[in-house]
Structure formats: C-alpha cells, structure tokens
C-alpha cells in the first residue's frame, strides 16, 4: 500500500501518543488523548490534557518544513484558545514562521506555552517499513517509530511559560437535549469498545464530531467511495454494521458476492447483499453493552473478511493478500 502525506502524519501522531513519546521527550503527563479532534473550523492532530497542570495540549504535526497552511492553523489556535500548550512539530522551521508565532503569542497576552519541536528525519525509514506492511499489521508495529531521539525541543525558540492551571472547556454552541446526551454517551461507549477490541483498524482512532446527532457513524474502509457504517439503533430501531461500495467500486462488491456461501458460513447466514451493500443487522438490546458487544463482534468479522478487498483488490496490490490469510 502507499500512504499519502496525511496518512503518514497520522501514523507519526498516533505513535507520539500511543508510544508516549511526547511525555518522555517534553516532560508531559497526558490524559484524554484524542487524534484529529474536531474544533471549530479545524481538526487538531493530537489533543490532550496535561494531568499535572490541568491545561489543554494542542499538537500540530508536519513531516515537512513549516509552511503557510500550517502557519495559519497555529495562528488560528492561538487566537481561538484562552490558555494552554501548543506543540508545533515539523521537520524544520523557517525563521520567519518562528518569529511570527512568537509575536502572536506575546501580543495575545494569553498564558500560552508554545513549543517548537523538530522531528528526527531518521523516522522516515521505519515509516517506509510500515508502508510495506499489510494495513491491518501497521498498528502493532507502530513501535518502530519509537526511534532514538525521535523529536527535539527547540528550547531557545519556544515560549515556555506558566499556563492557567484550569482546564478549559469548549463553549457549548447549542443546547443538547436529554435524548442527544444519551446518544452521545452511547456512541462514545461504542467507539471506546471498537478502539479497545479492534485497535489494528486505524480509522477507529480518529475522533468523530457531533456524536449527539449521529444515529449512524461512518468510517473509511480503505479506499474512496468505500465505507463502513454502524448504528446502535436507526430510525427503524435496527442496529447494524454495513460495508457500502460506490458505483466505481461495484467490481469489488461483485467479487465479494461471488463468495457469498463462505461468507454466510462465517456470519451464520446473517449477511445481506443488496444495492452494493453488505450488511448484518440485529435487534438492539435494552442493555447497551450487549448491543455494543454484538456489533463489535460483527464489525471485526467484516474487517477480517473484507480488508484484502477494500485495501488491495486491484492487481498491483493483490500480493499483499498473503499477509492477511484470514480474509475470504
């Protein structure tokens, strides 16, 4: 497979959190770590709270030299927050970008700490090794990115100052109803179990916005126009996991359907094929944990069965199938 730039950055960011690299190298104690967290008008590569200081941590990660796009994003974070720690990681920095961000923090008058951190270029070799692995094997090998001195703090350029020892909450933009509060809590529980039980499926680690509004949560399945969907209870009061293919991926759907008999054996005959969609539905239980556990079991069976197709169907990638022989 071939990771594009944003996927490579996500893997490095995931490693920074999962392998506790930020904590070791910068002296943080992190909790509530989230990846690609939604903030107004942007996504934060890594968001966490510093448990000792009680302040928010905002991490932006770039595998290139600092550039205008990421400069604007850091400036927006400075403008947006009232207090906290911003960690800007890049391969190297333009002097003018460092000065502009330093000035923005000082002029803001806010208790913001700004860390400039350089990424060790030696990390690209293990990234390439991950690039050559089957997608389902990448997570368990993230430790490869835990190289010697993976990041280096530019202490002289950084603004390291005391922050308000108070965790800031995002302003509530609209009132959430009791039903939405329950839905948000249940969706968060579903995501927690998915991330815990199926850690190796990378899309689960990205945060989802507006969980209080979502009856159905979607995840990329490995290529454009190919997605998983899961619901604890849709408008028909049905819980399900689905794999949907757009028209341009109809060939993949048809190839999977040719193996329907063996697929039904894996799922005890519960699979439905219709309109470029492969789905398994269940009746929700009054016990949310029971429903979640059933859906997670179904989801994992689908990922195991279909990932060779969703990631490596076309001929130039089919050699990867040998690394995941549990697929259909």
């Amino acid at each position: 497979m071939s990771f594009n730039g944003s996927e490579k950055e996500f893997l490095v960011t995931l490693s920074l959190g999962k392998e506790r690299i930020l904590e070791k190298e910068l002296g943080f104690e992190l909790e509530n770590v989230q990846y690609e967290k939604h903030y107004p008008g942007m996504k934060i590569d890594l968001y966490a709270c510093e448990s000792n200081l009680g302040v928010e941590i905002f991490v932006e990660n770039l595998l290139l030299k600092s550039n205008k796009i990421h400069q604007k994003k850091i400036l927006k974070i400075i403008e947006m927050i009232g207090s906290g720690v911003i960690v800007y990681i890049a391969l190297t920095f333009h002097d003018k970008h460092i000065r502009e961000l330093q000035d923005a923090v000082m002029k803001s008058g806010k208790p913001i700490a700004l860390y400039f951190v350089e990424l060790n270029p030696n990390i690209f070799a293990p990234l390439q090794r991950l690039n050559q692995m089957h997608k389902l094997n990448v997570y368990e090998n993230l430790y490869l990115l835990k190289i010697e001195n993976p990041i280096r703090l530019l202490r002289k350029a950084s603004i390291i100052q005391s922050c308000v020892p108070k965790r800031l909450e995002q302003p509530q933009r609209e009132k959430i109803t009791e039903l939405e509060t329950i839905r948000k809590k249940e969706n968060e529980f579903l995501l927690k179990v998915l991330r815990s039980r199926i850690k190796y499926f990378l899309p689960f680690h990205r945060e989802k916005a507006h969980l209080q509004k979502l009856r159905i949560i979607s995840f990329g399945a490995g290529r454009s126009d190919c997605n998983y969907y899961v619901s604890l209870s849709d408008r028909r009061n049905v819980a399900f996991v689905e794999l949907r293919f757009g028209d341009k991926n109809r060939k993949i759907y048809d190839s999977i359907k040719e193996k329907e008999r063996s697929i039904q054996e894996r799922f005890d005959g519960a699979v439905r094929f219709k309109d470029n969609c492969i789905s398994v539905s269940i009746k929700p239980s009054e016990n949310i944990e029971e429903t979640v556990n059933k859906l997670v079991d179904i989801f994992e069976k689908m990922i195991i069965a279909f990932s060779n197709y969703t990631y490596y169907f076309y001929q130039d990638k089919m050699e990867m199938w040998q690394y995941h022989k549990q697929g259909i």
Side-chain angles (χ1 to χ4, degrees):
M1 72 188 159
S2 177
F3 292 124
N4 59 30
S6 61
E7 182 74 359
K8 287 181 179 179
E9 287 173 3
F10 176 68
L11 290 179
V12 173
T13 304
L14 195 59
S15 174
L16 290 173
K18 297 296 183 184
E19 299 297 328
R20 308 180 78 89
I21 293 172
L22 285 175
E23 292 176 276
K24 178 183 176 182
E25 301 294 333
L26 301 182
F28 295 145
E29 290 289 338
L30 301 183
E31 61 182 10
N32 189 29
V33 177
Q34 300 173 53
Y35 304 94
E36 296 192 0
K37 179 179 177 64
H38 292 260
Y39 255 72
M42 73 174 82
K43 289 182 181 179
I44 305 299
D45 287 346
L46 186 152
Y47 168 90
C49 295
E50 218 292 340
S51 57
N52 292 326
L53 299 176
V55 297
E56 295 176 303
I57 307 284
F58 302 83
V59 179
E60 180 68 8
N61 181 36
L62 174 62
L63 304 188
L64 303 168
K65 193 169 186 177
S66 60
N67 58 34
K68 290 182 179 180
I69 293 175
H70 289 79
Q71 189 75 0
K72 289 181 180 179
K73 186 172 181 181
I74 299 295
L75 288 169
K76 186 173 182 180
I77 295 174
I78 294 170
E79 179 183 358
M80 177 182 64
I81 67 175
S83 172
V85 176
I86 300 171
V87 180
Y88 186 8
I89 303 172
L91 192 59
T92 186
F93 292 91
H94 289 285
D95 290 340
K96 64 179 181 179
H97 288 159
I98 290 177
R99 290 193 298 269
E100 183 180 26
L101 296 176
Q102 289 172 335
D103 290 344
V105 169
M106 300 310 294
K107 289 179 180 178
S108 74
K110 301 174 183 177
I112 294 175
L114 175 61
Y115 288 69
F116 290 99
V117 178
E118 283 189 341
L119 187 67
N120 188 335
N122 290 334
I123 206 165
F124 289 104
L127 261 181
Q128 182 59 26
R129 289 182 63 186
L130 293 176
N131 190 52
Q132 296 169 347
M133 295 178 185
H134 192 287
K135 191 76 166 181
L136 298 189
N137 295 337
V138 170
Y139 184 87
E140 67 187 36
N141 287 285
L142 280 177
Y143 71 90
L144 293 173
L145 301 181
K146 197 175 181 181
I147 62 175
E148 185 177 358
N149 301 319
I151 56 177
R152 181 174 71 92
L153 173 64
L154 303 183
R155 188 169 294 276
K156 290 184 178 180
S158 300
I159 299 175
I160 302 175
Q161 59 181 340
S162 298
C163 300
V164 177
K166 177 182 178 182
R167 188 164 305 155
L168 299 174
E169 301 293 337
Q170 285 183 266
Q172 194 67 273
R173 309 189 91 187
E174 57 183 84
K175 188 175 181 181
I176 298 179
T177 66
E178 182 178 355
L179 177 61
E180 289 175 333
T181 300
I182 294 172
R183 181 177 295 149
K184 183 175 186 291
K185 183 177 180 181
E186 291 180 345
N187 281 337
E188 287 176 340
F189 178 64
L190 171 61
L191 288 174
K192 180 180 179 180
V193 178
L194 285 170
R195 289 165 182 159
S196 174
R197 293 258 308 271
I198 318 176
K199 296 178 180 179
Y200 54 84
F201 192 62
L202 296 176
F204 289 153
H205 295 282
R206 292 180 162 98
E207 290 299 315
K208 293 291 179 179
H210 311 300
L211 287 176
Q212 71 276 12
K213 302 286 187 182
L214 298 179
R215 286 182 175 270
I216 301 172
I217 304 175
S218 64
F219 303 91
R223 64 178 65 249
S224 61
D225 214 18
C226 178
N227 298 283
Y228 281 109
Y229 296 85
V230 61
S231 176
L232 288 164
S233 178
D234 66 5
R235 296 185 184 279
R236 304 165 297 168
N237 193 31
V238 173
F240 65 82
V241 181
E242 292 183 349
L243 175 58
R244 302 179 192 172
F245 297 88
D247 289 339
K248 69 179 182 179
N249 288 318
R250 177 61 187 259
K251 185 177 179 181
I252 303 177
Y253 170 81
D254 290 340
S255 294
I256 294 176
K257 194 174 187 306
E258 289 176 0
K259 297 186 177 181
E260 182 173 358
R261 177 175 295 182
S262 62
I263 292 170
Q264 295 292 4
E265 290 176 356
R266 291 196 183 198
F267 291 86
D268 299 322
V271 179
R272 184 187 185 201
F273 288 84
K274 185 179 180 181
D275 299 330
N276 288 9
C277 179
I278 304 169
S279 63
V280 177
S281 301
I282 62 172
K283 183 178 180 180
S285 169
E286 292 184 3
N287 184 325
I288 184 64
E289 292 186 12
E290 182 177 336
T291 302
V292 165
N293 285 330
K294 287 181 179 179
L295 289 176
V296 172
D297 286 341
I298 294 167
F299 217 142
E300 183 163 32
K301 286 182 179 180
M302 284 193 169
I303 291 168
I304 290 172
F306 305 136
S307 286
N308 282 340
Y309 285 85
T310 60
Y311 285 113
Y312 306 113
F313 176 74
Y314 295 103
Q315 193 63 41
D316 63 333
K317 293 295 183 182
M318 290 186 71
E319 71 273 9
M320 294 298 293
W321 292 35
Q322 64 182 304
Y323 301 113
H324 176 58
K325 297 180 180 179
Q326 293 177 284
I328 58 171

